[in-house]
Amino acid sequence: MATELEELLGFLSSPLPQVKKAAVDIVRDLTGSQDGVQRIIQYSNIAAPSLARLLGENKEVSVPAAEALVNLSENPKISEKMDEIGMVNIVMDLLYKKDCVIKRLLVMILVNLTQLDAGITSLLQIGEEKVEGLYVMKLVRSFCTASDEKDDPFEHVGSILVNISKMQAGRKILMNPKRGLLKQIIRQFDSPSLLRKKGVSGTIKNCCFEAEDQLQDLILMSEFIWPALLLPVAGKKVYSKEDLSKMPLELSSALSIEREQIDDPEIRIQALESIYLIALQEAGRRSLWSVNGPRILEVGYEYEEDPKVMGAFEQIGSLLVEGNDVEESSAPNTEAAT
């Protein structure tokens, strides 16, 4: 005999619009609490596909269905079931339909699904040689396209990029120089959106774990990567003409005026940790010297008040002292780039 919850989930497939609408609203409300999610877990093989089928319907049904799936996908057990039924493919197909009105919610579902390795693998399309990385390229393009919409539907893509860059296969796709994805992502650090900034800084940090093997690719992006990493930790001070003369234009122009400091200490820590990972390699330290990076770190440390951020500064300082075999005088002349 079917339970009350089974009957409710069955109504999600009702041919009667009013019944379907009432059922999806109740299910959405249930998923708003942990108790409700726990009740649905044992019926996830019914709930997940039934809700997924509603994502392509009219706004009155698709919005509560998507909201329910966002809530449910926060639970690893249900997220795993959603991956098994091909939820990543379903979401990506709907996301790029012209009349889609639930883009932001669909992106949030992907954020939750990529908390699991299985979800990352599905989004990367690993093993599908002809299309591997295609979903990621689409998301990066959307993330890097300026949005005129008040409610930016793609700002949460930054969190997806952080998730997929935790896996080596994800870093490989993002750092492939022929695709140029990481370079596009880094440019979004200038966005006024804190969520986008955190997505960019977290993605760079994860990609820097490949610094030993991918250092040359990172250095080739130095005109983008050093401003993204050094400006958040440079303090508010206007730098001296002498300091500025040793920097490329991307840094000197920004540091020649007073600036608003990024308030979020997590972003500053991630930037410093990325610098540390790059500076572990001799060529990375040389690149850092070439943009007068140690001076920027010195000034930034003087103005830093957060103890955790100060600790990250000190870690790099110790590394630079230990690696002082790379003399500042040996750094390449950067004046041609200014």
Side-chain angles (χ1 to χ4, degrees):
M1 185 175 178
T3 66
E4 186 178 328
L5 183 53
E6 279 182 299
E7 289 184 357
L8 172 63
L9 294 173
F11 288 138
L12 293 174
S13 303
S14 172
L16 301 175
Q18 291 180 325
V19 173
K20 188 189 299 181
K21 165 64 175 167
V24 74
D25 284 342
I26 295 171
V27 171
R28 186 264 316 275
D29 293 343
L30 267 177
T31 65
S33 70
Q34 284 301 313
D35 288 343
V37 171
Q38 289 301 317
R39 288 179 60 193
I40 292 175
I41 283 179
Q42 58 184 316
Y43 301 109
S44 59
N45 61 326
I46 301 173
S50 296
L51 289 167
R53 282 193 292 270
L54 301 181
L55 294 175
E57 298 207 9
N58 61 62
K59 183 178 180 179
E60 288 69 26
V61 172
S62 64
V63 170
E67 289 172 342
L69 286 168
V70 170
N71 294 336
L72 290 171
S73 59
E74 292 178 357
N75 182 284
K77 290 183 179 179
I78 301 181
S79 183
E80 188 174 342
K81 174 59 66 176
M82 289 167 66
D83 182 71
E84 289 175 3
I85 66 169
M87 185 65 75
V88 167
N89 294 332
I90 294 169
V91 167
M92 289 300 297
D93 286 344
L94 289 169
L95 189 58
Y96 290 97
K97 290 187 180 298
K98 289 183 179 180
D99 57 348
C100 180
V101 295
I102 54 170
K103 290 181 179 180
R104 185 178 181 86
L105 291 167
L106 292 176
V107 171
M108 291 172 70
I109 292 172
L110 291 177
V111 172
N112 292 339
L113 291 178
T114 53
Q115 295 286 345
L116 299 180
D117 286 352
I120 295 174
T121 299
S122 295
L123 188 65
L124 297 178
Q125 298 165 287
I126 292 175
E128 302 176 47
E129 292 184 13
K130 293 184 179 180
V131 296
E132 188 172 284
L134 181 61
Y135 285 165
V136 175
M137 290 177 66
K138 284 186 173 183
L139 289 170
V140 169
R141 184 172 64 242
S142 299
F143 181 66
C144 297
T145 301
S147 174
D148 295 328
E149 298 179 54
K150 188 176 180 180
D151 186 23
D152 181 358
F154 289 104
E155 65 177 350
H156 283 282
V157 169
S159 300
I160 296 172
L161 297 174
V162 172
N163 290 343
I164 67 172
S165 61
K166 291 176 183 177
M167 184 179 282
Q168 186 178 36
R171 295 193 292 271
K172 183 178 178 182
I173 288 173
L174 293 176
M175 296 184 70
N176 185 327
K178 292 182 180 179
R179 295 179 187 263
L181 298 181
L182 186 59
K183 186 184 293 185
Q184 296 175 51
I185 293 164
I186 291 172
R187 290 171 176 167
Q188 281 298 302
F189 197 79
D190 292 333
S191 168
S193 165
L194 182 61
L195 189 57
R196 282 175 174 264
K197 286 181 185 293
K198 292 181 81 166
V200 173
S201 64
T203 302
I204 295 173
K205 176 191 167 185
N206 288 342
C207 286
C208 284
F209 281 112
E210 299 287 319
E212 184 175 358
D213 299 322
Q214 301 285 347
L215 186 61
Q216 191 59 40
D217 292 333
L218 289 169
I219 291 176
L220 285 172
M221 291 185 284
S222 60
E223 65 178 297
F224 303 101
I225 207 165
W226 284 130
L229 296 179
L230 288 168
L231 291 178
V233 297
K236 300 179 181 180
K237 174 183 174 179
V238 175
Y239 282 62
S240 69
K241 289 184 178 180
E242 181 182 356
D243 288 339
L244 294 172
S245 69
K246 299 174 184 177
M247 300 176 193
L249 183 61
E250 301 84 34
L251 285 168
S252 63
S253 60
L255 297 178
S256 62
I257 57 175
E258 287 192 14
R259 306 158 306 285
E260 288 291 327
Q261 187 176 24
I262 292 178
D263 291 332
D264 194 310
E266 182 184 350
I267 291 178
R268 301 201 299 280
I269 290 173
Q270 288 178 335
L272 291 165
E273 289 175 341
S274 298
I275 295 169
Y276 176 81
L277 290 167
I278 293 173
L280 281 171
Q281 314 303 316
E282 181 178 338
R285 291 192 296 276
R286 191 181 301 117
S287 180
L288 181 62
W289 276 107
S290 77
V291 298
N292 207 12
R295 175 58 180 160
I296 295 173
L297 294 171
E298 181 183 2
V299 173
Y301 181 69
E302 291 174 4
Y303 285 83
E304 186 56 61
E305 297 180 354
D306 187 289
K308 291 183 179 180
V309 182
M310 292 175 72
F313 268 111
E314 291 161 6
Q315 184 183 38
I316 300 173
S318 299
L319 175 64
L320 293 177
V321 170
E322 293 171 5
N324 62 6
D325 54 312
V326 180
E327 297 291 340
E328 185 175 2
S329 60
S330 69
N333 189 340
T334 62
E335 290 184 354
T338 62

